[in-house]
Amino acid sequence: MYRRIMPGLCGLALLAAGVVSVQSGDARPDNVAMAAAQSAALSEAQIAAAAGATTPFVTVEAESGTLGGGARVRSLTPGAAPPTRATLEGEASGYALVELKANGDSVTLTNNTGKNANSLVVRASIPDAAGGGGINATLNLYVNGVFRQAIALSSQQAWNYRGATTNPDDPRAGGVAYRFYNEFPLRVTGAAIAPGSTIQLRKDAGNTAAVYDIDSVDLENVGAALAQPANSISVVSNGADPNFQRDSTVAIQDTVNAARSQGKSVWIPQGKYLTNSLVSRPLDFTGVKVQGAGMWYTTLYRKVPLPANSWRSQIVVGTKTTLTDLQIDTNAVWRGIGGTGGSDYGVNTGGTGWLIDRLWTRHIDANWLSGTDGILQNSRTADSYGDGYNINNGNTPNADKLGLNITVRNSFARNTGDDSFATYSDAGPTGKNGQVSGAKILNNTAVAPWWANGIRVAGGKNVEVRNNVVNSVSSNNALELSVFGDSGHPLESVAVTGNVLQGGGGWNGVRHGVHIGSTGSTSQFPNAFTNVTMSDNILRGSLTAGLSIDRTRVNVTLTNNTIDRPAKQGIWINSGVTGTGKFTGNKIQNLFPGQVAQRNDSPDTFKITG
């Protein structure tokens, strides 16, 4: 396993000068207390070393490679005005990509992981078809300068159009393009790529896309497939087809039902299983342990009949369920749970004491995590149409959907179509749904969500957001701390500690690295306060302000945080804000000319001490 530390944003290296210590308010800080706080503060290196998911792969950014032919790097310029619409640069990790346009254009990367790589995940974009629906094309892979294989790429599950009047896949209906990228996992043919070897992606005559935009490559050495555990029932014994020829929905459910009644577990052997049966209910794994041969070996693939018609394909994970070591993929083409584009949740949890471990979900809507005392860990999700992982209370009063003490840890999300990691506490239209409590978002990595935020805490109490990495948010904030609409519960308490937040402040309106907000005047809870504590975080390279506070009734404690190289203010308190700020030991550095470390547009109503 590797500790995954994302590299700094392109062009945002720390400068030697320009460090600004924030001193706010009229009172002078107590020197003894300040010295004690500084001695206890973590260094930036310590924070970075502890943050993010430990993954079995290492990501190499394409822009760090050697260019060949007429290949070029395209990137956002640090400090420049952020894009006003989605761009390929804005949706790229590190806000940079390599463009291959002519035959002979290439980018060469080196396997510096110290281990063999027998598998790759290439994150890339190729153009849409003129009428929508995507195209297919190959790109050639060379190892140490010798052709190894053609990589199959597609844009069939990319290029949606925001605001299209017909459907989100129609470029001729007045919408604005976004969701440009997709991930392409592949097993390397022949020998594994040895440490020190070069990996070249090159456009040759047979590679027919007009342009290839390469964002990154994951290098992984995948071990052998797992063996069937004792006291388990194989889905194949009940008629499931691992060769992707016949539908396996009923066979899988029959195996789960039999295992539940016999006190056994379910085994899904190596293979790709088609699930496109028009049964009235999704697969329900409640009360059973379901295990695959590994996320690279066992895939449940939902081939939804498109355009879909309320066809549900999620997997239900209820009380005392364990789901582990497999992949869920789908043919969905746009967002809409149970809608015409074929999208649905990856997993939908409820009840108590469930565990999800080593699950890879792709092209789903969201992983919807409700219930009590549930854990999702060591997992990855990519190319989703909704949230990566959403901890919630189910939107309506339900004893199985309380949203209590749910933990998401050591997991990885990239290219999500909503928040990469989120808590969502909704009171419902009658205000009777209980408050999400005890949610924990720990040691995760969020990369390049194409819509919404890297991490969002939308209401709740006793929420913990610790040791996560967010890198390169396209449209919204790296971190959002607030409530969800008029029915959202207040954010009673959240502790945000040891996170590395890179970028944020994208094209979707006025956004920032971190945004802290509260309930509005039309909320069901119009007098509620938002209470936030942030300590030992690094906020780097925001496309706008590093941290912004708005609305009324906000209490914020900021201790020993570093805000580095924001394009605008370090900290901005908007006009009309009420509440208190206790700011101690924070550091704002490497400001662009004309920008200030701190701007308080509510000096009479938002009092800052420190």
Side-chain angles (χ1 to χ4, degrees):
M1 302 289 280
Y2 299 89
R3 168 61 67 192
R4 185 184 171 84
I5 303 174
M6 299 301 298
L9 298 180
C10 182
L12 294 184
L14 294 180
L15 303 180
V19 175
V20 179
S21 296
V22 177
Q23 300 286 333
S24 304
D26 295 329
R28 300 178 65 85
D30 179 85
N31 290 333
V32 175
M34 179 68 76
Q38 289 175 341
S39 66
L42 297 174
S43 70
E44 291 184 40
Q46 289 173 313
I47 294 168
T54 299
T55 65
F57 57 88
V58 171
T59 297
V60 182
E61 295 292 337
E63 63 270 19
S64 70
T66 301
L67 306 184
R72 65 170 182 147
V73 172
R74 292 173 49 183
S75 63
L76 297 185
T77 302
T84 57
R85 62 170 60 189
T87 66
L88 283 155
E89 295 90 338
E91 287 191 13
S93 57
Y95 294 141
L97 62 103
V98 171
E99 179 185 84
L100 312 178
K101 218 167 186 180
N103 291 342
D105 288 359
S106 67
V107 58
T108 300
L109 309 169
T110 302
N111 178 6
N112 288 325
T113 67
K115 298 188 177 185
N116 289 330
N118 60 15
S119 303
L120 304 176
V121 176
V122 177
R123 184 171 192 253
S125 175
I126 60 175
D128 196 5
I135 64 171
N136 298 307
T138 60
L139 180 63
N140 285 345
L141 169 66
Y142 292 78
V143 177
N144 293 328
V146 178
F147 174 78
R148 182 64 68 89
Q149 67 197 89
I151 304 171
L153 307 182
S154 176
S155 56
Q156 291 181 340
Q157 291 179 285
W159 292 88
N160 287 165
Y161 298 88
R162 179 173 168 81
T165 57
T166 53
N167 67 69
D169 212 24
D170 186 353
R172 302 162 297 185
V176 179
Y178 61 173
R179 187 183 165 84
F180 303 114
Y181 290 92
N182 214 324
E183 298 194 358
F184 303 96
L186 65 135
R187 300 301 296 264
V188 175
T189 60
I193 301 170
S197 297
T198 59
I199 302 163
Q200 184 182 79
L201 302 176
R202 191 169 84 189
K203 175 174 164 52
D204 293 325
N207 306 137
T208 56
V211 61
Y212 295 80
D213 294 304
I214 313 301
D215 180 36
S216 63
V217 179
D218 298 342
L219 286 73
E220 183 173 355
N221 195 45
V222 177
L226 299 175
Q228 180 172 354
N231 200 37
S232 64
I233 305 174
S234 171
V235 297
V236 174
S237 68
N238 279 309
D241 177 16
N243 299 311
F244 202 61
Q245 298 299 310
R246 303 187 313 274
D247 177 77
S248 296
T249 309
V250 174
I252 292 172
Q253 188 64 63
D254 286 348
T255 308
V256 171
N257 296 342
R260 187 185 297 117
S261 64
Q262 298 173 36
K264 296 182 177 181
S265 66
V266 171
W267 168 245
I268 307 181
Q270 180 175 347
K272 186 175 182 180
Y273 297 83
L274 177 65
T275 57
N276 69 343
S277 171
L278 295 177
V279 294
S280 59
R281 297 177 59 192
L283 289 169
D284 188 343
F285 292 172
T286 296
V288 175
K289 179 178 181 179
V290 178
Q291 180 179 342
M295 61 175 66
W296 280 89
Y297 292 101
T298 297
T299 299
L300 303 182
Y301 189 91
R302 307 167 178 170
K303 193 174 182 181
V304 181
L306 298 177
N309 182 19
S310 299
W311 191 87
R312 301 310 301 269
S313 58
Q314 61 188 269
I315 290 176
V316 175
V317 173
T319 295
K320 301 299 181 183
T321 305
T322 296
L323 176 62
T324 184
D325 295 302
L326 55 82
Q327 179 182 151
I328 299 170
D329 197 2
T330 86
N331 68 331
V333 291
W334 63 74
R335 187 172 187 176
I337 299 169
T340 55
S343 182
D344 201 351
Y345 296 135
V347 292
N348 188 348
T349 72
T352 62
W354 50 263
L355 171 66
I356 298 171
D357 196 6
R358 298 184 297 278
L359 176 68
W360 192 356
T361 51
R362 305 176 60 224
H363 306 112
I364 62 165
D365 185 272
N367 290 295
W368 194 248
L369 309 177
S370 302
T372 301
D373 296 326
I375 297 173
L376 182 143
Q377 62 187 13
N378 308 321
S379 295
R380 62 182 90 168
T381 192
D383 301 330
S384 69
Y385 297 96
D387 301 299
Y389 304 100
N390 186 307
I391 299 171
N392 63 81
N393 56 1
N395 302 112
T396 56
N398 185 330
D400 281 339
K401 299 280 187 177
L402 297 178
L404 303 179
N405 304 318
I406 296 174
T407 298
V408 176
R409 64 191 180 201
N410 199 54
S411 294
F412 179 89
R414 184 165 52 198
N415 203 39
T416 58
D418 212 314
D419 308 312
S420 298
F421 298 88
T423 70
Y424 171 32
S425 187
D426 186 14
T430 63
K432 295 181 179 179
N433 202 15
Q435 174 75 293
V436 168
S437 180
K440 292 180 173 60
I441 301 173
L442 311 176
N443 282 101
N444 302 292
T445 297
V447 179
W450 56 272
W451 175 248
N453 309 280
I455 299 174
R456 180 174 189 179
V457 179
K461 64 181 178 181
N462 301 323
V463 178
E464 184 177 359
V465 179
R466 175 164 51 86
N467 294 356
N468 302 285
V469 165
V470 174
N471 184 10
S472 310
V473 174
S474 174
S475 66
N476 286 22
N477 313 289
L479 174 63
E480 168 79 16
L481 304 170
S482 59
V483 298
F484 191 93
D486 286 349
S487 63
H489 275 295
L491 180 50
E492 295 182 37
S493 54
V494 59
V496 180
T497 307
N499 302 282
V500 179
L501 309 172
Q502 303 185 102
W507 55 265
N508 183 33
V510 181
R511 305 290 177 166
H512 304 281
V514 174
H515 172 252
I516 301 174
S518 62
T519 59
S521 60
T522 57
S523 166
Q524 294 183 26
F525 309 93
N527 299 315
F529 272 78
T530 289
N531 299 293
V532 173
T533 300
M534 292 185 64
S535 60
D536 295 300
N537 301 285
I538 300 173
L539 288 57
R540 179 173 293 135
S542 170
L543 303 178
T544 51
L547 184 148
S548 174
I549 301 172
D550 69 7
R551 293 205 175 179
T552 56
R553 302 173 310 282
V554 180
N555 294 324
V556 180
T557 300
L558 302 178
T559 307
N560 301 327
N561 301 286
T562 296
I563 300 177
D564 180 65
R565 201 71 164 159
K568 293 187 177 181
Q569 309 92 338
I571 298 173
W572 177 27
I573 295 92
N574 290 252
S575 61
V577 178
T578 62
T580 61
K582 183 177 181 181
F583 299 173
T584 306
N586 302 291
K587 183 169 60 176
I588 300 175
Q589 62 191 22
N590 300 321
L591 292 169
F592 284 93
Q595 299 301 333
V596 296
Q598 182 172 292
R599 174 178 167 181
N600 187 356
D601 289 339
S602 302
D604 296 328
T605 55
F606 187 83
K607 297 297 185 180
I608 301 172
T609 61

